[in-house]
Amino acid sequence: MSEKTEQPEQTVAFKAEIKQLLNILIHSLYTEREIFLRELISNASDALNRMRFEMLTNREVRDPDAELKITITADEEARTLTITDSGVGMTAEELAENLGTIAHSGARAFIEAAQEDQEKLTDVIGQFGVGFYSVFMAAEWVRVTSLSYQPDAAAATWYATGADTYTLGPAEKQTRGTQIEIKLKEDAAEFAKEHRLREVVKKHSDFVAFPIYIGEDEEQANQQTALWRKQPHSVEDEQYAEFYQQFTLDMQEPLLHTHLVADAPVQVYALLFVPAKAERNIFSLRREDGLKLYSRKVLIQEYTTDLLPEYFRFVDGVVDSEDLPLNVSRESVQSTALMARLKKIVTGQLLKALKDLAEKDTEKYIAFWKEHGPFIKQGIATDHAGRTDLYPLVRFHTTTHPGEWSALDDYVGRMKDGQTAIYYILGDDERSVTRSPHLDYFREHDYEVITLTDPIDSFMLMGLPQYQEHPLQNVAAADLELPEDESEEADAEEAPAIPEDEFGGLVERFKQHLGDKVTDVRASTRLSGSVARLVDPEGSLNQEMQRVYRLVDREFEVPKKVLELNPRHEILKKLKDVPQDSELSEAIIDQIYDSALLIEGLLPDPASMIPRIQELMQAALK
Ligand code: ADP
């Protein structure tokens, strides 16, 4: 390097966001500030991985034969700590850009959390990837000296004390990579002790894929195992749990892990986890959905979304295959035929693990279903080819087993003689749905009905027309066919109906008063305890589709319905004798109609019934 081409040292102001971040970190009283070491090691590991990837296709780099490693040395007396890596390094421009300009998305979220609630800060800081700047929790000053892998780049150095500016200048560094020197604060002197460093590395960075050497004698401090490359029988449950924690920073144990090692038809290692919660907390290490994709220990892609169907996006983990061609760019990896085969294998493995869990640990499986069930339902609705594989995963409540989570197989096993269809009812909540008049017949004849009250259930049903040879049928459908002998036998037991001619007059009365609120009024053979119900007129959208439309389009108006009356019901028998145009007759008709709307979840203003109910009570007390 000649003196002339060197830039003189310059002082530069941090961007406002970073000033803010530094201020918070310097003054934080967070006790577990050891995590700064994890952040620096993680950056070093990223830089090493980028180096390894670069060298797959490019040998024109500086120090191509240097070992890929992280070295940590400390000087107790001087209270300094130095972390060195042989990764890609940074040019002067990159130093300014990466350590002075942008705070990554995690840091931004952190600042927001800090502004919201200072108290909460200490709880979240540990789980947070605040990145490089977390070093200022422990540092008086920091000096970063780096030499880029690009052969013609010059070494550069960056120095900051946590004040509003940093300095940037040329440096003497002969080997590729980055060196971070830290002068520790007085109360952070512990991090200049090797045994303490060893402890922290073990705790937070044990599975980092590159060796981490500590001290002058360069003793390796991390296990550096790619756990997924071990044989499953040789790995203890605790090791999986520990790996998951370091891998995701999720403090909650996963609901499930599954580990696959196979040589044929494709060489693959896969280690998948189902997290306890579907929602990633904002402090999670993972910023996107997707699995980590490795080949020969090189991280090819951090968030790979094409190894599982989209609805399994809550799954976390690693897939590693020796068979992936490495001489292609990251972008074109996705389109290889091998990826499609890997997806099939990985998806099959996950499905099998979920089925095993359902058999072996019902409680855990139900926890899974409650948390991730909506994703499975989405899969059934959208994945035409794969949906039958998802059917066995579905759980639901039914009218006869309301407190249990049943599977379709449970339901089929309990079907009555002569029953061919699987019956379900849609509603807004479990309690009101069991009062539905659509259930009269089924209750009376002991048919089990599945109660579906999740908004996404209507979508799911679009992909679940039948299970095995049993069609799924909505009990609210006007044209539902019932097992025949049963309905005849039932007729014989029932109370006598209003004679047809008199009933015709009653129907007219309803029609006149309700006008165009309904498309028709007619007798029903399905009702027993209930006075009336609403059904869809022939040819209109079915109930499932109406619900789907209501979900996607707030403006959607539910089509008008047919009011079906129960000709055997006491109330109607008596109503027939109340004078036609009396206020009482009209109030009763309105109330019957509103009640039917209410139970369908279609009455916009239930409180509007109150004056009428008062009127009816007064009449009853006369
Ligand atoms: P993050 O790592 O989440 O992007 P950081 O603030 O920790 O955020 O780091 C900012 C950037 O600085 C990194 O994205 C990387 O480009 C660069 N960087 C940090 N440490 C190193 C290192 N040891 N070697 C090379 N580049 C680094």
Side-chain angles (χ1 to χ4, degrees):
M1 253 176 281
S2 80
E3 288 290 317
K4 272 178 252 159
T5 58
E6 277 179 9
Q7 297 281 322
E9 190 170 274
Q10 45 176 324
T11 301
V12 191
F14 281 117
K15 281 276 145 64
E17 215 170 41
I18 294 176
K19 280 187 210 165
Q20 220 175 338
L21 184 63
L22 288 175
N23 226 335
I24 297 167
L25 290 167
I26 288 168
H27 298 110
S28 91
L29 297 171
Y30 184 56
T31 48
E32 284 180 67
R33 52 188 177 184
E34 66 190 35
I35 57 122
F36 82 87
L37 206 58
R38 175 190 76 196
E39 300 294 322
L40 297 183
I41 290 172
S42 155
N43 280 347
S45 164
D46 286 349
L48 288 163
N49 196 66
R50 275 158 60 200
M51 196 60 235
R52 181 137 74 183
F53 193 85
E54 184 65 31
M55 283 197 294
L56 293 173
T57 50
N58 179 9
R59 292 296 290 180
E60 301 294 302
V61 300
R62 194 188 297 274
D63 304 344
D65 299 319
E67 184 192 2
L68 297 176
K69 63 173 180 177
I70 299 166
T71 311
I72 306 178
T73 55
D75 183 335
E76 262 193 89
E77 232 153 85
R79 229 168 56 228
T80 58
L81 172 66
T82 305
I83 300 162
T84 311
D85 68 67
S86 50
V88 283
M90 288 176 270
T91 61
E93 290 74 36
E94 284 167 335
L95 276 170
E97 173 89 357
N98 294 333
L99 306 184
T101 320
I102 352 163
H104 65 60
S105 58
R108 211 162 295 144
F110 175 83
I111 295 172
E112 273 159 33
Q115 280 163 343
E116 244 169 54
D117 189 351
Q118 286 284 347
E119 301 260 297
K120 237 176 37 192
L121 197 61
T122 51
D123 299 337
V124 303
I125 209 170
Q127 293 183 28
F128 216 106
V130 198
F132 172 79
Y133 303 100
S134 61
V135 71
F136 285 101
M137 291 194 295
E140 246 173 54
W141 55 255
V142 180
R143 186 192 313 282
V144 182
T145 307
S146 201
L147 180 60
S148 167
Y149 73 96
Q150 296 160 32
D152 49 358
T157 188
W158 176 105
Y159 171 87
T161 60
D164 290 352
T165 58
Y166 62 90
T167 59
L168 196 61
E172 289 295 321
K173 189 177 190 307
Q174 310 303 331
T175 52
R176 185 193 68 214
T178 302
Q179 181 182 57
I180 302 180
E181 286 168 273
I182 300 159
K183 169 78 180 184
L184 293 162
K185 289 184 189 172
E186 236 167 272
D187 61 357
E190 60 185 300
F191 299 113
K193 290 185 166 54
E194 282 182 15
H195 74 92
R196 179 76 179 108
L197 291 169
R198 202 157 268 131
E199 191 181 276
V200 178
V201 167
K202 190 94 200 133
K203 180 165 162 199
H204 296 291
S205 312
D206 208 19
F207 299 115
V208 165
F210 299 91
I212 303 171
Y213 300 114
I214 294 185
E216 296 300 326
D217 49 357
E218 303 226 327
E219 196 184 321
Q220 186 167 344
N222 63 329
Q223 278 199 54
Q224 198 206 339
T225 36
L227 195 69
W228 62 90
R229 285 176 159 251
K230 293 197 166 179
Q231 286 302 322
H233 60 79
S234 72
V235 185
E236 306 285 334
D237 278 354
E238 297 87 75
Q239 286 175 283
Y240 287 119
E242 214 180 299
F243 177 82
Y244 174 76
Q245 226 200 39
Q246 287 201 16
F247 186 74
T248 59
L249 286 196
D250 183 354
M251 298 299 144
Q252 263 183 296
E253 247 184 66
L255 288 169
L256 174 74
H257 70 254
T258 175
H259 189 177
L260 171 75
V261 176
D263 288 323
V266 179
Q267 196 292 321
V268 61
Y269 305 97
L271 179 53
L272 307 180
F273 297 94
V274 174
K277 290 275 168 281
E279 186 111 352
R280 256 196 314 278
N281 70 39
I282 58 161
F283 313 119
S284 157
L285 269 191
R286 257 157 63 96
R287 302 190 193 133
E288 287 170 41
D289 295 323
L291 304 176
K292 282 202 165 101
L293 176 64
Y294 284 84
S295 183
R296 286 162 244 184
K297 288 194 168 181
V298 180
L299 180 62
I300 304 293
Q301 196 170 45
E302 170 118 54
Y303 303 108
T304 316
T305 49
D306 31 21
L307 284 167
L308 283 172
E310 202 236 336
Y311 47 85
F312 279 135
R313 60 186 174 278
F314 56 87
V315 176
D316 215 337
V318 180
V319 174
D320 184 344
S321 174
E322 306 265 308
D323 292 346
L324 273 176
L326 280 187
N327 53 352
V328 294
S329 71
R330 288 183 197 212
E331 288 68 38
S332 55
V333 164
Q334 280 107 307
S335 54
T336 62
L338 184 73
M339 284 298 278
R341 295 172 73 192
L342 283 174
K343 179 176 181 176
K344 205 164 165 224
I345 294 168
V346 172
T347 307
Q349 173 73 12
L350 179 65
L351 283 167
K352 189 173 150 296
L354 286 170
K355 278 174 209 159
D356 283 354
L357 183 71
E359 272 168 34
K360 291 187 189 124
D361 191 341
T362 316
E363 204 178 308
K364 257 207 182 138
Y365 186 77
I366 295 309
F368 160 79
W369 178 253
K370 285 183 183 166
E371 192 60 31
H372 305 288
F375 293 93
I376 306 298
K377 292 175 180 179
Q378 186 210 336
I380 290 175
T382 56
D383 184 359
H384 194 81
R387 67 191 191 189
T388 51
D389 290 332
L390 300 176
Y391 292 165
L393 299 181
V394 176
R395 294 294 179 274
F396 43 75
H397 294 306
T398 74
T399 49
T400 57
H401 295 71
E404 275 172 42
W405 287 99
S406 304
L408 284 162
D409 274 340
D410 298 327
Y411 182 101
V412 169
R414 297 193 289 250
M415 284 194 345
K416 287 178 63 167
D417 285 348
Q419 180 183 354
T420 52
I422 295 172
Y423 299 113
Y424 65 86
I425 183 163
L426 290 170
D428 291 333
D429 69 280
E430 202 94 18
R431 249 191 311 168
S432 66
V433 89
T434 55
R435 296 205 172 85
S436 171
H438 302 302
L439 291 174
D440 275 12
Y441 179 89
F442 298 86
R443 210 180 287 119
E444 200 159 297
H445 297 89
D446 287 329
Y447 283 109
E448 183 169 12
V449 178
I450 298 174
T451 49
L452 299 176
T453 54
D454 187 348
I456 200 177
D457 287 337
S458 322
F459 284 99
M460 173 182 73
L461 287 164
M462 299 195 301
L464 184 48
Q466 64 176 66
Y467 179 65
Q468 295 163 354
E469 69 279 19
H470 308 291
L472 270 84
Q473 290 182 352
N474 186 345
V475 297
D479 54 356
L480 183 67
E481 274 181 44
L482 295 165
E484 236 172 68
D485 48 353
E486 284 278 0
S487 44
E488 272 165 26
E489 180 196 320
D491 280 348
E493 288 169 13
E494 270 167 5
I498 302 172
E500 238 167 77
D501 51 333
E502 289 179 42
F503 189 72
L506 202 56
V507 165
E508 270 317 302
R509 204 194 284 193
F510 269 83
K511 281 187 182 168
Q512 260 182 27
H513 184 64
L514 292 175
D516 60 4
K517 287 183 189 165
V518 291
T519 59
D520 196 11
V521 180
R522 66 183 181 218
S524 166
T525 54
R526 290 290 158 70
L527 299 171
S528 50
S530 309
V531 194
R533 70 167 181 169
L534 289 167
V535 296
D536 287 310
E538 235 168 87
S540 75
L541 274 184
N542 67 22
Q543 209 194 1
E544 295 75 49
M545 286 313 291
Q546 290 178 26
R547 282 177 178 266
V548 170
Y549 275 99
R550 233 168 45 172
L551 266 183
V552 297
D553 174 11
R554 297 218 155 267
E555 308 280 286
F556 175 74
E557 272 191 44
V558 175
K560 285 182 190 140
K561 308 245 175 193
V562 176
L563 184 68
E564 286 194 351
L565 298 174
N566 177 0
R568 296 167 203 279
H569 203 283
E570 267 320 285
I571 291 181
L572 294 185
K573 285 180 191 169
K574 295 252 165 67
L575 178 64
K576 154 171 91 54
D577 301 328
V578 177
Q580 161 121 33
D581 290 325
S582 65
E583 274 180 26
L584 183 61
S585 165
E586 291 182 350
I588 290 174
I589 292 174
D590 283 334
Q591 188 57 42
I592 288 174
Y593 174 67
D594 277 4
S595 303
L597 276 180
L598 181 69
I599 199 77
E600 296 298 328
L602 295 174
L603 187 64
D605 178 16
S608 65
M609 298 197 310
I610 292 173
R612 189 187 314 122
I613 290 172
Q614 276 181 12
E615 194 184 317
L616 291 171
M617 284 192 286
Q618 268 162 356
L621 292 170
K622 252 189 209 150

